[in-house]
Amino acid sequence: MKIKKILLLCATTVLFVACGKDDHSPAPIKPVLPSSGEKPITSITRLGNVESGYDWAFTYSDGRLTNAIGTLRDPSASVDRSFTYTSTFAYGAKEVSLNSSTGEKITLQLNGEGYVSKMLVNRNIYTFQYNYSGQLSAWSKQVFEESLGQIQQYNSSATIDYDAQGALQKIVYKGVDNRQTILTFTNYASANRNGLMPPTIARELGCIGFEQLYYAGLLGRPTRLLVKSIKYDFYDDSNAIASTQTTDFEYGYQSDGNIELCNYHIEPSGNIASVSYKYN
């Protein structure tokens, strides 16, 4: 009788331990948001469009970006606000998945730091590299289009340099036309406390239409200082400067110090636009 009681007690103990293991599954990864402890951005709205871009609305849960709604903005009235889509993030112990209402198949590969090193969008291929500080330092993009039974490939890429303070210094961008554009940055002394991406350079950062990856903390750390101006040198096929443009930025602040408005004007065109930001 004593032997039976001992066996029953052992069986109960083993069962308890086995069930207990299910309660210790690895926690999902938690990327560091660009805001780094400040209030995360919940909306980005463009006013006075002078180039194509996106408005964004972000939703967070437990410190992670979980949902993003992007709306196309464009100087052409027939195109402006003509397209809206939703992206949904799901976080695992070692991976992040991104589902889009467009129906595109998106696959993310993360490096050891938890940043996206490769993204597949259907058959299109994006690759990303980072410097020792975890900031985006290079990217490449291959887009494949099929027409009349033939497949055409379009390539674009950029390298990104930062100064000793970790602020943007230069981007060398090469578009699908194989022409080079060099962006040279001048920065304010003010810290980029909200982790803002400069609103005019998503294409040169390789993430136009995928800015949600940046604001989810999956495309590296933000530039450390607020951008004051960007000089664009546009090169022709002979690799000579064909034209130059300068964009100057000014910022408006909420009473708590968060940036609520970024005004920018472009010379020599004289175009003026702005972007407004909201927070949790």
Side-chain angles (χ1 to χ4, degrees):
M1 189 66 177
K2 290 182 179 179
I3 295 176
K4 288 183 179 179
K5 288 182 178 180
I6 293 172
L7 291 175
L8 180 60
L9 179 60
C10 291
T12 303
T13 303
V14 171
L15 180 61
F16 175 79
V17 172
C19 293
K21 287 182 179 179
D22 291 339
D23 296 331
H24 294 83
S25 56
I29 63 175
K30 191 172 186 177
V32 177
L33 300 176
S35 52
S36 295
E38 299 291 341
K39 292 181 178 179
I41 294 172
T42 56
S43 75
I44 301 172
T45 304
R46 294 175 175 270
L47 307 167
N49 300 312
V50 296
E51 72 276 309
S52 294
Y54 288 85
D55 286 349
W56 291 99
F58 299 132
T59 302
Y60 301 85
S61 177
D62 193 26
R64 300 175 182 89
L65 179 59
T66 55
N67 186 272
I69 301 174
T71 300
L72 177 65
R73 303 303 307 276
D74 192 88
S76 171
S78 62
V79 176
D80 190 37
R81 303 181 189 272
S82 63
F83 177 72
T84 296
Y85 70 104
T86 300
S87 301
T88 303
F89 290 90
Y91 298 86
K94 296 182 178 180
E95 72 285 333
V96 177
S97 63
L98 179 62
N99 294 312
S100 174
S101 63
T102 63
E104 294 175 310
K105 182 180 179 180
I106 302 173
T107 303
L108 304 178
Q109 294 182 13
L110 307 184
N111 65 12
E113 301 300 317
Y115 303 136
V116 176
S117 59
K118 186 175 184 179
M119 177 171 68
L120 303 178
V121 183
N122 295 330
R123 68 174 72 183
N124 302 329
I125 303 171
Y126 298 69
T127 61
F128 301 94
Q129 299 176 32
Y130 304 87
N131 62 19
Y132 66 92
S133 298
Q135 294 173 303
L136 184 65
S137 61
W139 62 268
S140 65
K141 178 181 175 182
Q142 296 173 299
V143 174
F144 299 91
E145 291 185 0
E146 185 173 351
S147 177
L148 301 176
Q150 299 184 28
I151 296 177
Q152 183 69 43
Q153 178 178 329
Y154 299 94
N155 300 325
S156 56
S157 62
T159 58
I160 305 161
D161 295 328
Y162 302 82
D163 64 18
Q165 300 180 75
L168 278 166
Q169 185 175 52
K170 183 172 72 172
I171 298 178
V172 179
Y173 168 75
K174 186 173 288 187
V176 295
D177 58 3
N178 208 36
R179 293 177 180 174
Q180 183 173 265
T181 302
I182 296 181
L183 288 65
T184 304
F185 294 80
T186 301
N187 299 290
Y188 288 102
S190 304
N192 182 18
R193 59 175 286 182
N194 297 114
L196 303 180
M197 177 193 296
T200 62
I201 64 169
R203 188 179 308 280
E204 289 82 1
L205 291 178
C207 61
I208 183 73
F210 285 98
E211 292 97 319
Q212 69 271 44
L213 293 174
Y214 170 86
Y215 284 103
L218 295 171
L219 283 183
R221 306 304 303 141
T223 182
R224 301 283 176 80
L225 301 177
L226 292 175
V227 172
K228 183 176 183 180
S229 68
I230 306 174
K231 178 187 176 186
Y232 294 77
D233 290 320
F234 300 98
Y235 287 75
D236 59 22
D237 292 332
S238 65
N239 206 32
I241 297 177
S243 62
T244 297
Q245 172 184 298
T246 300
T247 303
D248 295 312
F249 299 86
E250 297 177 347
Y251 301 91
Y253 295 83
Q254 297 177 341
S255 58
D256 59 5
N258 291 311
I259 293 173
E260 64 179 354
L261 191 66
C262 173
N263 296 314
Y264 60 97
H265 61 274
I266 301 171
E267 295 296 344
S269 68
N271 289 329
I272 299 174
S274 62
V275 177
S276 66
Y277 303 94
K278 292 184 180 179
Y279 304 87
N280 272 341

